[in-house]
Amino acid sequence: MSHTRERGIDHGSVPPSRKRAAAPGTVARHRVAAQLASRTPVLPVLIVSVIVAVGLPGGAGLTWLPLLAAGPALAATTSGPHGVLCVGLLAGGLGTLLGVHGGAPGRELAAVLSALLAVTLASGLASALRGRRERVLAAVRSVAEAAQHALLQPVPATVGPFQVAVRYSAAAAEARIGGDLYALVPTPYGVRLIVGDVRGKGLPAVGVAALVVGVFREAAYEEPDLLAVVDRIERSLARNLRCDDFVTAVIAGHPRPGRLELVNCGHAPPLLVRGSGVVPVEPARPAPPLGLRALTGETPGLQTLPFGDGDQLLLYTDGVTEARDRDRAFYPLTERLARHLSDEPAHTLTALHDELLEHVGGRLHDDAALLMLRKPTTPEAALAGCGAQPQP
């Protein structure tokens, strides 16, 4: 029955007589016409037509002919080699008409048309190379997206007792991924998460981020103590990092209701939202970034804070707080978080992310990650359990 309804929705606005009148040949011709129209380089054809329309009545001879080369040259930026060739042939044919009508000498007309042919061939080659680069870029983008899903897996809207939202933007827009990292996993010891920032950018930073996330996901399931999870990451980085590399990170855990554990390793302090107030959670004992413990000898400490119904926690990377506008002013995250607070973390982060992009003029110069937790109140949790579905 569902298939019948779907067919009715697709064709309900078309009378039966019209359906019978639409012969297969007519449909095929319409499809071919639509494909040709979509591939036609409209602007280059329009430019060639305007040049001929201006030059033909005046009988200006060779005056307007060189401008016809703009047609195939422009087509190379928007169309494939076939479109460039079509525009070149059109320009050549109309140029011949324009030259003959203007009484241009045959030798000079041949020279101009030869130059037009050369421009057409060069533009066709440029168009073919552009298409090849676009295909390579599309393949790279697909690989980058696959790497992003493997490294930064989508986070559902609810994990354990929490509402969750994540926003991530890589500074290298074509790469889709960068040196910032996050992960959130339910474990036998409660929900655990990490937000971190790898020193540097590019592929080396991505490799380190993948290492940290992989070790965290494994250790979070196996280690009952949150500090032991941090130690596992530290040992792995000590074996694999170069001497000048490090990772700042905040690792958090929710071992039991009403309690949140934090370990801050040289990272920006999370922002705790309680009621309408926003308070930075400064580490009780500052610790070096991950990968530098052997140089300092300092070990991180475990910080515990109450986390009850309605409380929220925002973790972020310095790509957010160090984003500057045209006047070199930093993005005021604490102030803007208080302005955009809502009971839906996804709405809050969407507003922050959009405002952040507006603050920097549309493009970030560093990777930026935002992850927000909210402990819903008891009535909200009951409602979510009855009908709400997690969204990735």
Side-chain angles (χ1 to χ4, degrees), residues 254-304:
H254 181 252
R256 59 176 181 265
R259 177 181 174 182
L260 204 62
E261 295 178 343
L262 294 177
V263 180
N264 192 326
C265 298
H267 198 75
L271 299 179
L272 176 64
V273 179
R274 182 164 293 152
S276 58
V278 179
V279 180
V281 183
E282 299 288 351
R285 187 172 69 186
L290 296 168
L292 299 181
R293 186 185 300 182
L295 300 178
T296 64
E298 299 178 3
T299 58
L302 185 68
Q303 189 172 3
T304 303

Side-chain angles (χ1 to χ4, degrees), residues 321 330-337 359:
T321 52
F330 292 112
Y331 180 69
L333 178 60
T334 303
E335 172 190 333
R336 301 302 170 84
L337 175 59
H359 181 81

Side-chain angles (χ1 to χ4, degrees), residues 81-110:
H82 181 267
V84 174
L85 180 61
C86 290
V87 175
L89 292 176
L90 175 64
L94 294 178
T96 302
L97 176 63
L98 185 61
V100 171
H101 181 269
R107 184 174 297 179
E108 295 182 9
L109 177 60

Side-chain angles (χ1 to χ4, degrees), residues 166-203:
V166 174
R167 292 293 181 273
Y168 180 86
S169 293
E174 301 297 342
R176 307 292 178 93
I177 54 178
D180 286 3
L181 60 97
Y182 65 83
L184 187 147
V185 292
T187 74
Y189 313 104
V191 174
R192 286 176 169 176
L193 61 99
I194 183 173
V195 171
D197 186 0
V198 179
R199 176 188 177 274
K201 299 178 182 179
L203 290 178

Side-chain angles (χ1 to χ4, degrees), residues 23 27 42 81 86 102 106 125 129 255 261 267 270 293-294 306 308 324 366 389-390:
V27 174
V42 178
C86 290
L125 177 60
L129 294 176
E261 295 178 343
H267 198 75
R293 186 185 300 182
R324 296 173 182 261
D366 194 6
Q389 295 296 327

